[in-house]
Amino acid sequence: MDFRLGDEAEQLRHDIQLFLDDLLTDDVEAEIYRSGVSHHPGYVSGMIEHGWFAGNWSKELGGAGLDPTSQMVVQEELGRREAPMNASSVSTMVAKALRAHGTDQMRSEIVPSILRGETICVLGFTEPECGSDVANAQTRAVRDGDHWVINGSKMFTTNAHIGDYVYLLTRSNVEVSKHRGLTTFLVPLDDPGIEVQAVYTLSGERTNIVYLNDVRVADAARIGEVDGGWQVLTSSLVDEQSASFAPWLIRLLEEVEAWAVETGRHDDPDVQERIGRARAEAEVALLLRRRCTWMDEAGIPRGIEGPMAKLFSSESLTRAAQDLFDLVGPDALRSFLDPTAPRAGRIEYLMRFSLGTTIYAGTSEVQRTMIAQRGLGLPR
Ligand SMILES: Cc1cc2nc3c(=O)[nH]c(=O)nc-3n(C[C@H](O)[C@H](O)[C@H](O)COP(=O)(O)OP(=O)(O)OC[C@H]3O[C@@H](n4cnc5c(N)ncnc54)[C@H](O)[C@@H]3O)c2cc1C
């Protein structure tokens, strides 16, 4: 086996690094960190200019026609550099759902606008009382002639305060089993019945709680069939469930290795052992995700490989972050933007960031359940 990705992929990696070197000045990084919002206009325009914004879409649809390996290299580098990509990634994920299940107007107007970087879409699935069991959504959509009236609340609606539309999961039918009574909509976030309130996570990331009070939308805002929301939703979540945090782990290691050299502790056997252990896990995490890409290229449907990549990468990042934080000692407590912090506070930031990664895009318990039931054939 040859695990190298080839000259073309490495050239692409180099090109992305140059783009991010230019974009991510200290000022830009401080601005992103202070706002807690993973979005930046320069990032969006640069990604569009290079053709990487919806890189794996065909050229005729507005992408760059990147093959799965090239697209993976783009994702690896964006993650390793902590690029402000969340709003764009979610918007292109929604664009994919709209292409597959949306109306002609969504396909001809909203999708191109997302690909031009003019429209931001956010995900409104989770509710205050249901996240993992997303099919239990209680936000109610009631039909009123050619319209629907929506009432309820959504939790962790990241970027809703800067977004244009929320891809909303609602309960449209209470007479049937929970998976059969869901309908999805694309709802404009400037509707007067929508209120967005800030929620800040431990890593400083800004997300939101969104209240919907008598929000009235035309039936034309519906995505997919009435009560067919579960099918629409599950096709959208495949990419999320194979998210990988290996690039963030590699970034953490780069910072801790640089710290070890700067402080002259690189010869210390304890330092070497801890870094070595985390390096080995980073390699496994990287390869688990690369296996998903290889399967895509070989035309093999993914099963539990996505959840395995997500589970292992997020847990190894969390493990390594805590172990290496401990290794750096009390100095590691000094945070990002503190000029006296080791490695400009990135070790501390990555420690806080790591904790959320085992929650979003499917918690570790949920990923383990999928692996146990679908992969190992264990009973419910
Ligand atoms: C920073 C951040 C950003 C997010 N952004 C978005 C977004 O933009 N849009 C959106 O819709 N959502 C978003 N989420 C929500 C995220 O998807 C949910 O937090 C996640 O699905 C977990 O749901 P929950 O928080 O309701 O926890 P719960 O589902 O209540 O889970 C609580 C605990 O119970 C465990 N648990 C739950 N069910 C089971 C089970 N059956 N078996 C074993 N253990 C179980 C979970 O693993 C967890 O440890 C975001 C979350 C975070 C933290």
Side-chain angles (χ1 to χ4, degrees):
M1 283 189 195
D2 186 349
F3 290 106
R4 285 169 302 181
L5 298 177
D7 292 344
E8 215 174 299
E10 293 314 325
Q11 180 60 46
L12 175 62
R13 191 185 298 283
H14 180 68
D15 293 344
I16 297 163
Q17 284 166 357
L18 292 181
F19 161 60
L20 293 177
D21 285 346
D22 271 353
L23 175 75
L24 296 175
T25 59
D26 289 349
D27 287 348
V28 168
E29 288 205 314
E31 182 189 329
I32 295 164
Y33 178 76
R34 283 205 179 91
S35 69
V37 180
S38 177
H39 177 66
H40 190 271
Y43 169 80
V44 177
S45 56
M47 289 293 283
I48 291 172
E49 205 176 297
H50 286 96
W52 302 325
F53 186 76
N56 56 349
W57 287 43
S58 69
K59 286 188 177 152
E60 68 202 25
L61 294 179
L66 294 183
D67 58 53
T69 297
S70 305
Q71 177 65 9
M72 180 189 73
V73 167
V74 174
Q75 295 305 320
E76 284 181 4
E77 280 313 300
L78 295 178
R80 192 176 70 83
R81 295 295 296 274
E82 300 172 76
M85 61 182 161
N86 183 280
S88 305
S89 307
V90 171
S91 297
T92 50
M93 191 176 133
V94 175
K96 207 168 146 190
L98 296 180
R99 270 200 56 75
H101 306 280
T103 61
D104 287 346
Q105 189 256 347
M106 289 172 190
R107 276 197 286 262
S108 63
E109 289 175 25
I110 298 178
V111 171
S113 168
I114 293 172
L115 298 187
R116 287 194 302 271
E118 290 163 6
T119 294
I120 293 177
C121 295
V122 308
L123 303 179
F125 302 157
T126 307
E127 296 186 2
E129 297 303 324
C130 74
S132 301
D133 185 14
V134 69
N136 207 16
Q138 299 298 320
T139 291
R140 194 77 171 91
V142 177
R143 189 139 198 176
D144 179 18
D146 284 346
H147 284 74
W148 293 81
V149 179
I150 303 175
N151 279 287
S153 50
K154 292 285 169 183
M155 185 66 194
F156 294 128
T157 321
T158 309
N159 297 319
H161 64 298
I162 57 163
D164 300 290
Y165 292 95
V166 54
Y167 174 17
L168 193 75
L169 179 69
T170 67
R171 176 140 317 273
S172 45
N173 191 338
V174 290
E175 306 291 324
V176 291
S177 63
K178 65 179 180 183
H179 291 90
R180 295 203 183 149
L182 299 164
T183 301
T184 48
F185 295 91
L186 193 68
V187 178
L189 277 160
D190 61 2
D191 187 286
I194 291 187
E195 187 191 332
V196 178
Q197 281 182 12
V199 172
Y200 286 91
T201 68
L202 186 64
S203 66
E205 180 183 342
R206 170 166 176 166
T207 176
N208 300 287
I209 182 162
V210 170
Y211 298 98
L212 300 108
N213 297 308
D214 288 332
V215 173
R216 210 176 148 75
V217 290
D219 189 47
R222 176 163 50 82
I223 307 170
E225 299 295 320
V226 174
D227 296 345
W230 185 245
Q231 286 71 27
V232 177
L233 185 78
T234 42
S235 68
S236 310
L237 291 178
V238 175
D239 290 341
E240 257 216 325
Q241 282 166 351
S242 47
S244 173
F245 294 97
W248 282 263
L249 176 51
I250 291 167
R251 175 61 184 261
L252 171 69
L253 274 157
E254 286 170 356
E255 297 297 343
V256 175
E257 284 162 4
W259 163 85
V261 172
E262 279 165 17
T263 54
R265 291 194 58 193
H266 52 290
D267 289 332
D268 178 339
D270 182 37
V271 172
Q272 291 183 347
E273 188 183 324
R274 293 191 201 213
I275 290 179
R277 190 165 47 223
R279 264 281 161 205
E281 293 208 357
E283 195 64 21
V284 174
L286 197 66
L287 291 178
L288 283 173
R289 181 61 188 81
R290 287 187 179 178
R291 176 166 64 168
C292 296
T293 303
W294 168 77
M295 291 176 81
D296 293 347
E297 278 187 344
I300 304 169
R302 286 192 221 163
I304 54 160
E305 290 79 8
M308 286 171 70
K310 199 274 167 175
L311 175 69
F312 189 81
S313 64
S314 56
E315 294 206 338
S316 52
L317 172 62
T318 309
R319 239 185 333 264
Q322 294 184 9
D323 191 42
L324 298 173
F325 189 79
D326 186 38
L327 173 71
V328 175
D331 275 354
L333 283 168
R334 283 188 253 142
S335 60
F336 202 62
L337 299 185
D338 176 341
T340 66
R343 302 302 303 160
R346 286 193 181 279
I347 298 169
E348 189 265 3
Y349 170 70
L350 280 161
M351 213 284 275
R352 284 184 288 124
F353 170 82
S354 71
L355 300 172
T357 64
T358 60
I359 300 173
Y360 48 75
T363 68
S364 288
E365 289 76 12
V366 168
Q367 307 284 358
R368 281 201 166 80
T369 301
M370 285 195 268
I371 295 166
Q373 288 174 5
R374 294 187 208 157
L376 304 175
L378 295 176
R380 282 174 69 83

